[in-house]
Amino acid sequence: MKHLKTLGLIGLVIGALLSLAGSASATALTSNGATYTGEFVAKATGVRIHRPTFGEGKWSLTCNSTISGKVSGHGAAVTATVVLGTFFLTECVSEVNPNAEAKILKPGTLEIHTASGDSTGSTGNGTVTWSGPFELTTSIGPVPINEHCIFKLSNADIGSITGSKNTGATAKFNLDALLSTNLACGVSAELTGTYTVNTPDNLNIH
């Protein structure tokens, strides 16, 4: 009987710990106070791909961008995710070559968490991880040579979301990611930009 009581107590403790762990890691997106599981669309101008290891400040592309996907993954002990269906980079401008282009090969998935130190989600802000694979290719035209590079990212922190509670309007997705590539393409590149979340037009992280 004593052993049964001990096992029962251990079970209760483990259950409580699991419950706490689950509640701590759970994340949900809300719109106007209700859980949101619909489409996610964000747009930006001035999204920049920059290789700091190749002539500091001289190699970069600046583009317009649209990302879209479906919100999923709500519930206890579940991280909210946005499975990206499209990621466009358009009207890119290069300081090096007017023929330069950029294209997303694999958009990947965004994992969204409540902001650091805000386990209850009271601020409405969040942090974002890009779970892979994410791949981006660039082409720098024929001058002086035609160069193609592929940049990758997987399971890395890539920015934050400022919720509607703080913007007073639509939420903002602040992108600041470090992409990796091979030595011939400069080892790494920075991908930065500020997106306006158009859908939903009210978004907070809890």
Side-chain angles (χ1 to χ4, degrees):
M1 183 65 70
K2 182 178 180 180
H3 291 298
L4 290 175
K5 288 182 177 179
T6 301
L7 290 173
L9 179 59
I10 292 173
L12 289 173
V13 171
I14 292 174
L17 290 174
L18 289 174
S19 175
L20 288 171
S23 62
S25 59
T27 309
L29 308 187
T30 63
S31 181
N32 294 312
T35 299
Y36 184 79
T37 57
E39 294 298 313
F40 178 94
V41 180
K43 297 185 177 184
T45 59
V47 173
R48 191 167 184 248
I49 308 159
H50 171 52
R51 288 192 304 191
T53 55
F54 269 51
E56 183 68 32
K58 294 183 179 180
W59 189 100
S60 67
L61 284 171
T62 303
C63 311
N64 295 334
S65 181
T66 300
I67 61 176
S68 63
K70 181 71 168 57
V71 178
S72 63
H74 293 289
V78 175
T79 299
T81 59
V82 178
V83 180
L84 297 180
T86 59
F87 191 136
F88 296 122
L89 294 169
T90 59
E91 301 177 55
C92 295
V93 177
S94 169
E95 297 93 331
V96 177
N97 191 325
N99 298 315
E101 298 178 330
K103 182 180 179 180
I104 305 298
L105 300 178
K106 297 178 181 180
T109 298
L110 303 181
E111 294 184 355
I112 302 175
H113 319 268
T114 53
S116 178
D118 182 23
S119 59
T120 63
S122 60
T123 66
N125 296 334
T127 60
V128 184
T129 299
W130 220 320
S131 62
F134 170 85
E135 289 187 9
L136 160 70
T137 183
T138 59
S139 175
I140 311 300
V143 182
I145 60 173
N146 191 20
E147 175 196 270
H148 292 274
C149 293
I150 293 180
F151 301 91
K152 299 181 179 182
L153 179 71
S154 181
N155 299 318
D157 294 334
I158 53 91
S160 62
I161 288 179
T162 304
S164 295
K165 286 182 179 180
N166 293 274
T167 65
T170 54
K172 299 290 185 181
F173 169 34
N174 311 294
L175 173 61
D176 187 0
L178 184 64
L179 312 177
S180 63
T181 187
N182 57 44
L183 180 61
C185 289
V187 181
S188 64
E190 298 167 348
L191 179 62
T192 58
T194 300
Y195 288 77
T196 297
V197 181
N198 301 106
T199 306
D201 61 1
N202 181 284
L203 176 68
N204 289 291
I205 315 303
H206 292 280

